Amino acid sequence: LQFTEEKLGQAEKTELDAHFENLLARADCTKNWTEKILRQTEVLLQPNPSARVEEFLYEKLDRKVPSRVTNGELLAQYMTEAANDFGPGTPYGKTLIKVGETQRRLGAAEREFIHSASINFLTPLRNFLEGDWRTISKERRILQNRRLDLDACKARVKKAKAAEAKAAVT
């Protein structure tokens, strides 16, 4: 009732401290930017949306995400197979073997980067959103409910005093 009357402009609303309002605004801003950064980093690390969905499902089911071959590793595999077809002794075969080995190392470095970024960068962001932010939201709801209770009590006291004053006058 108090909330509805406040929204309709029929009841007074206790204003929170300006510093606290500033902290709430900063918390909202932090949450919004953290979500955007998390999503965009996931897109950068795994551009394929269906693979991201698959990884998300594995994560939610508490299962290990199967290891994927990176594009560099796949290219290295093709180059090595091509080198074997052409013959490792031919100039083209030797070149394919060298470039394929370099691509394999690049692919392994990319896999390590993705793994490291996921653990060291994305995990803390998720922990904030799933842990700290939930706590902030819960405490914010509790504060809002307490403020509404306070304002409702203030309104009842005000009505009671007005009734006493009216009774005293008559």
Side-chain angles (χ1 to χ4, degrees):
L1 180 65
Q2 179 69 26
F3 179 77
T4 306
E5 287 179 354
E6 285 178 9
K7 289 298 179 187
L8 295 174
Q10 297 172 348
E12 287 185 35
K13 177 180 178 182
T14 301
E15 295 298 323
L16 299 173
D17 181 48
H19 177 66
F20 186 73
E21 289 284 352
N22 184 28
L23 287 175
L24 289 176
R26 284 179 47 203
D28 288 336
C29 185
T30 301
K31 180 214 177 232
N32 292 334
W33 280 110
T34 301
E35 285 176 334
K36 288 177 183 178
I37 291 169
L38 177 73
R39 279 193 306 267
Q40 193 57 42
T41 303
E42 288 172 338
V43 168
L44 174 75
L45 295 176
Q46 179 52 267
N48 184 345
S50 62
R52 280 198 312 273
V53 169
E54 182 182 353
E55 289 172 1
F56 175 77
L57 289 175
Y58 274 109
E59 185 180 305
K60 289 300 175 189
L61 295 173
D62 289 330
R63 293 203 169 162
K64 185 179 179 202
V65 179
S67 178
R68 285 196 187 353
V69 176
T70 64
N71 290 329
E73 290 171 322
L74 189 60
L75 179 59
Q77 181 182 347
Y78 290 163
M79 287 181 166
T80 304
E81 290 173 8
N84 290 333
D85 275 355
F86 288 118
T90 64
Y92 189 42
K94 286 179 187 177
T95 304
L96 283 174
I97 288 174
K98 285 181 184 179
V99 175
E101 181 58 28
T102 302
Q103 283 296 329
R104 187 192 61 73
R105 289 196 312 263
L106 283 171
E110 179 183 4
R111 178 194 307 275
E112 178 58 31
F113 169 72
I114 290 170
H115 180 72
S116 176
S118 178
I119 290 173
N120 298 320
F121 186 69
L122 294 179
T123 300
L125 294 179
R126 283 190 189 104
N127 289 343
F128 167 73
L129 292 173
E130 294 171 3
D132 297 341
W133 182 252
R134 282 190 180 161
T135 303
I136 291 169
S137 298
K138 179 180 152 195
E139 296 298 327
R140 185 185 250 177
R141 280 190 303 274
I142 290 171
L143 176 64
Q144 177 73 354
N145 288 334
R146 297 291 190 266
R147 187 197 58 75
L148 288 170
D149 291 344
L150 172 68
D151 289 348
C153 289
K154 282 181 178 179
R156 278 192 297 239
V157 167
K158 193 174 185 180
K159 284 180 186 176
K161 284 185 179 179
E164 280 181 15
K166 186 178 181 183
V169 170
T170 22

